Amino acid sequence: MNVTVIGTGYVGTVTGACLAYLGHRVTCVDTNPAKIEKLRAGISPIFEPGLEELMALAKTRGELEFSTDVSTCVPSSDVIFIAVGTPPLPSGEANLAFLESAARSIGSAMHGSRYVVVVNKSTVPVGCGNLVEALVREGIREANHLSESAIRFGVASNPEFLREGSAILDSLYPDRIVIGAEEEHAFKVMRELYRPLVAQDFPAPSFCPRPETLQPVSLVTTTLTSAEMIKYSANAFLALKIGFANEIANICERVGADVVEVTTGIGLDKRIGSRFLNAGIGWGGSCFGKDVLSLLHTANEYGYHARILEASIAVNQMQRLLVIQKLQEKLFILKGRTIGLLGLAFKPDTDDLRDAPALQIAERLLKMGARVRVYDPIAMSECKRQNPDLRVTYCDAALCVGDGADAVVLITEWAEFGNLDLSALAERMIRPVLIDGRNQFQPAAAVAAGFDYTGIGRSTVRTRKRTASPLNES
Ligand code: UGA
């Protein structure tokens, strides 16, 4: 099928490359010429493991082209994805300016030569499917070259569930595909587009093998509004699940339990499930915060006070700054102390710093008069570019954050940090205080390496009784 994808951010680039890999003819469009030049040269505009390899393979299995001109792609398209950014406004509402301009430009370029489905893949507030339809119609009217009735198009909502860092895995082997539409013809086109994903009859790329545990991929068809609600509810639930684990962690600390043991114990219940129960310094990134706020805002518009969503944001905000409290408990005074931070990106395998807890923690420490040393395997140059005034010291290697430090805090659980020589790190420090913000280290191993170790929700005092001596020994 002929596919156009508007927007070459995370979602657009990965969607375009995956659809081309499945055999479709795809053109990805962006208004930024520099980005398009890079993409044409095979260079991904984002750090995402496997994406450049997939882009190269996609060109051999389907077609993958890049353009700055949407008007040349629209007339021959069967499906047009809108995958532009919808960043939050200060009010918490999503900024729809890019979406509106994309929908209008699609309308004004339509020729009426074939039926086309305009698919919303951007995360947009409930009701945007109808907005897209209205804007496409406005575009048709503005271009004024054909009567509106001569142009046949359908609108669909097809939310994405990919995670940064594992975007290709999530896209090629999804748990489900959700399509919201109001017309049978739109469903038919979308079913045909995704047939290879449902059938899973494509060869797996060598760098992203098909998971042995992959279940049959369900294609769920819904109304437009339900599809939009599914996207928000999924992210809100995942954020809530993490927040719940964090709240349990805080109670574990007080009663002397270990949250890792507790979440393992509850996660084995299939009704709960073990994923997204890792307690730590809370969630960040461009999605959870924005989507929970946007859903809260929608609920408010309808006169509903969504208390659970509100609490979820509050718990996460508090959780982030918990490491400062833990540092104060260990060091008392933070002024003049040197604190090393391991990790800047909001999660491993990405250089994305949007709503990254590391930045908020670094800023708070600096404000309190501490000196901050940081290291991240990938995100340091991006951090320097985005925050030229952040007065932290960038280190060349993970161990260097410990040089002269009073404490080290693990912020992002990069695999590299799991293999760190903890004894070597402790030796470089003035005080061997380790705050493990992601419970990545074994407490016993950290203590054996000479650290005063504190995790999140992990009782450091073992309260198990010694085994009573057998009677016949007395
Ligand atoms: C999230 C969703 O997981 C995707 O399904 C969705 O498509 C995407 O948002 C989106 O809406 O675009 P993403 O933000 O890329 O994906 O990353 P996640 O892996 O979900 O992690 C989000 C945050 O939660 C990270 O800061 C991570 O460190 C934190 N997290 C995750 C925890 O603190 N504990 C966990 O158990 C899991």
Side-chain angles (χ1 to χ4, degrees):
M1 297 175 91
N2 292 338
V3 180
T4 298
V5 181
I6 303 179
T8 57
Y10 246 101
V11 176
T13 313
V14 173
T15 303
C18 286
L19 288 172
Y21 181 79
L22 296 178
H24 297 298
R25 284 180 295 275
V26 181
T27 308
C28 295
V29 183
D30 203 293
T31 47
N32 180 341
K35 235 176 168 186
I36 291 298
E37 272 319 303
K38 266 185 145 185
L39 283 160
R40 280 189 182 137
I43 302 166
S44 163
I46 46 166
F47 175 83
E48 179 62 36
L51 184 53
E52 286 182 357
E53 289 95 316
L54 189 79
M55 280 162 49
L57 270 182
K59 287 186 177 166
T60 64
R61 292 186 33 89
E63 279 175 26
L64 182 60
E65 286 175 358
F66 301 95
S67 169
T68 50
D69 184 8
V70 77
S71 65
T72 51
C73 311
V74 168
S76 56
S77 295
D78 299 301
V79 179
I80 303 170
F81 282 99
I82 301 179
V84 295
T86 52
L89 291 166
S91 61
E93 286 173 275
N95 178 353
L96 298 179
F98 303 116
L99 177 95
E100 290 175 2
S101 134
R104 267 206 195 88
S105 58
I106 293 170
S108 57
M110 276 182 173
H111 276 196
S113 48
R114 60 168 84 199
Y115 177 85
V116 57
V117 186
V118 180
V119 187
N120 206 351
K121 219 167 180 33
S122 304
T123 302
V124 290
V126 176
C128 277
N130 301 336
L131 176 70
V132 166
E133 176 167 358
L135 292 166
V136 170
R137 287 197 190 288
E138 265 178 43
I140 297 171
R141 262 177 256 137
E142 276 159 23
N144 205 18
H145 53 76
L146 270 178
S147 89
E148 210 181 308
S149 58
I151 294 178
R152 295 170 311 123
F153 75 98
V155 173
S157 164
N158 171 217
E160 53 79 20
F161 303 108
L162 59 85
R163 289 162 301 167
E164 293 184 15
S166 52
I168 295 165
L169 184 91
D170 292 344
S171 302
L172 292 180
Y173 314 114
D175 290 342
R176 78 306 205 184
I177 298 164
V178 174
I179 316 254
E182 306 297 337
E183 284 179 20
E184 192 41 49
H185 203 75
F187 284 125
K188 193 168 164 250
V189 171
M190 295 305 287
R191 273 198 202 97
E192 177 56 21
L193 182 81
Y194 282 127
R195 195 205 54 75
L197 278 192
V198 174
Q200 287 289 315
D201 56 0
F202 59 89
S206 58
F207 54 85
C208 189
R210 187 169 279 113
E212 280 170 17
T213 51
L214 183 71
Q215 301 290 314
V217 177
S218 307
L219 191 144
V220 182
T221 56
T222 69
T223 64
L224 273 175
T225 312
S226 295
E228 290 164 352
M229 272 302 287
I230 287 171
K231 170 68 192 181
Y232 280 109
S233 316
N235 272 0
F237 185 80
L238 292 170
L240 183 68
K241 197 172 176 188
I242 298 166
F244 178 82
N246 286 333
E247 186 132 271
I248 294 297
N250 297 338
I251 303 174
C252 281
E253 271 179 20
R254 286 160 175 80
V255 300
D258 183 324
V259 74
V260 179
E261 292 177 353
V262 173
T263 50
T264 305
I266 64 171
L268 285 168
D269 184 329
K270 290 195 179 61
R271 294 170 301 173
I272 296 172
S274 58
R275 297 172 72 189
F276 278 65
L277 269 185
N278 297 325
I281 55 170
W283 44 260
S286 67
C287 304
F288 285 172
K290 169 172 84 86
D291 291 356
V292 178
L293 272 179
S294 179
L295 189 55
L296 196 58
H297 194 269
T298 302
N300 277 338
E301 273 182 355
Y302 286 79
Y304 181 73
H305 181 189
R307 291 174 180 79
I308 292 181
L309 300 184
E310 214 170 59
S312 171
I313 292 172
V315 166
N316 195 59
Q317 195 48 39
M318 183 197 68
Q319 196 70 17
R320 270 186 193 187
L321 298 176
L322 208 64
V323 290
I324 307 273
Q325 205 179 311
K326 287 181 185 291
L327 285 169
Q328 285 174 323
E329 278 162 21
K330 293 289 172 192
L331 304 174
F332 300 106
I333 309 292
L334 295 185
K335 206 178 187 59
R337 305 278 198 208
T338 299
I339 312 295
L341 302 184
L342 287 170
L344 289 168
F346 84 96
K347 62 180 256 182
D349 294 325
T350 178
D351 63 354
D352 199 335
L353 291 158
R354 284 176 288 177
D355 198 19
L359 293 178
Q360 206 181 342
I361 292 167
E363 274 161 11
R364 181 64 70 101
L365 287 170
L366 289 169
K367 212 168 167 193
M368 294 174 91
R371 286 158 184 55
V372 180
R373 300 173 65 76
V374 300
Y375 171 77
D376 187 287
I378 296 291
M380 286 203 292
S381 51
E382 199 48 37
C383 189
K384 284 179 202 167
R385 196 183 65 76
Q386 288 180 21
N387 306 283
D389 299 329
L390 193 70
R391 288 172 298 105
V392 297
T393 305
Y394 292 93
C395 300
D396 293 335
L399 284 179
C400 296
V401 301
D403 290 348
D406 295 282
V408 163
V409 185
L410 182 124
I411 305 271
T412 317
E413 67 279 32
W414 284 93
E416 170 183 336
F417 299 154
N419 302 323
L420 212 58
D421 181 344
L422 287 180
S423 308
L425 179 65
E427 271 165 29
R428 287 165 172 250
M429 298 170 63
I430 297 177
R431 287 181 187 76
V433 171
L434 177 60
I435 311 285
D436 183 358
R438 298 285 181 187
N439 288 342
Q440 198 186 19
F441 301 113
Q442 292 299 333
V447 171
F451 270 112
D452 175 354
Y453 172 90
T454 308
I456 305 285
R458 312 185 94 172
S459 173
T460 46
V461 189
R462 298 306 303 181
T463 47
R464 276 186 196 135
K465 281 187 190 164
R466 261 182 281 142
T467 322
S469 307
L471 282 177
N472 58 5
E473 267 186 28
S474 56

